[in-house]
Amino acid sequence: PTRSKNSPLPKGWAEVVNWTWGIQFPYTQRGCNRWAYKDGVFDLLVYLNDSAHNSGSDTKPRTEIRVFNAQMFFGLYAFTCYFRITCETYATNIFQLFDVNGFPYVQLRTYSRKLHIVYQLISPANICTQYHYMNFSYNGFTTRYSIYMDDSLIFNSDDPSLYGDEMYFKLGVYISSPYPSQRHEMFIKDLHILHE
């Protein structure tokens, strides 16, 4: 969907109401130490020496919004938001799309203050200076999806493993490699799941 300056939602699109979200954060921390929601903005924070999100996990530290049960079946859908990362955030996953098998199908990452899909450079621009608009669009009839950053297409694919309410998203700071920084922080606002 195209952004509108006069409305929070694109013309002809409506909110999907049957989706849920939760926050994953280091289990040794209280939630208020690693994330906050104020004036419509999520503030997500994680440190390199933090624990995983639960005691039985050997994954790297993260503080992420996990969006699931969106029930994207037939029709056109879009997951949209604005995000900003701090300039000290380096080697971090900021968006992950998981398929029906629970594997990350797409990972947007930051290295040297630049946007990558996994290790492939997407844009040479410094992404830590302002908010950016992200739009993940999904066609439930064809299982084709596209990812736009600031209205520019950065990735698209057709894959039958991305379907319905079996796929889910994670948006936040998840420590990656190589050479991650000590402190990772991301701000997210205007988070919507839309249906046309």
Side-chain angles (χ1 to χ4, degrees):
T2 302
R3 287 181 287 178
S4 171
K5 295 182 179 179
N6 301 318
S7 170
L9 302 181
K11 184 178 180 180
W13 292 71
E15 289 275 12
V16 173
V17 297
N18 57 342
W19 62 279
T20 53
W21 61 274
I23 302 287
Q24 291 184 331
F25 56 89
Y27 78 91
T28 56
Q29 299 292 327
R30 293 184 300 171
C32 60
N33 291 339
R34 293 296 182 265
W35 73 275
Y37 181 77
K38 183 179 180 181
D39 298 329
V41 178
F42 287 96
D43 181 357
L44 308 175
L45 174 68
V46 73
Y47 289 90
L48 182 61
N49 61 353
D50 274 337
S51 64
H53 66 291
N54 67 57
S55 60
S57 174
D58 60 359
T59 58
K60 295 178 180 178
R62 92 281 299 272
T63 301
E64 296 178 307
I65 303 172
R66 185 179 188 270
V67 178
F68 53 100
N69 195 33
Q71 297 186 9
M72 295 182 177
F73 291 108
F74 299 107
L76 302 177
Y77 296 85
F79 172 91
T80 66
C81 71
Y82 288 84
F83 74 89
R84 179 175 69 85
I85 64 168
T86 60
C87 289
E88 62 187 327
T89 298
Y90 181 89
T92 309
N93 290 351
I94 59 174
F95 173 80
Q96 298 182 83
L97 170 65
F98 290 77
D99 64 16
V100 297
N101 300 308
F103 295 107
Y105 190 78
V106 175
Q107 293 177 318
L108 297 184
R109 298 179 177 178
T110 64
Y111 297 104
S112 300
R113 305 185 179 99
K114 297 176 178 62
L115 182 68
H116 295 68
I117 291 184
V118 190
Y119 298 108
Q120 178 184 353
L121 179 66
I122 298 301
S123 171
N126 185 335
I127 69 167
C128 73
T129 56
Q130 62 185 26
Y131 273 96
H132 298 273
Y133 179 69
M134 185 175 67
N135 175 351
F136 163 79
S137 296
Y138 174 73
N139 187 325
F141 297 111
T142 65
T143 69
R144 182 172 183 82
Y145 73 93
S146 305
I147 301 176
Y148 296 84
M149 194 68 64
D150 295 327
D151 298 320
S152 295
L153 179 67
I154 62 171
F155 192 81
N156 60 13
S157 179
D158 297 282
D159 193 291
S161 67
L162 299 172
Y163 176 75
D165 61 353
E166 297 296 327
M167 61 179 176
Y168 63 93
F169 320 93
K170 285 168 54 167
L171 183 67
V173 279
Y174 183 112
I175 291 175
S176 183
S177 60
Y179 314 120
S181 54
Q182 293 294 319
R183 188 179 191 274
H184 308 250
E185 189 169 18
M186 182 176 185
F187 300 91
I188 301 166
K189 64 181 182 178
D190 297 333
L191 177 61
H192 300 284
I193 296 182
L194 308 174
H195 176 245
E196 184 183 44

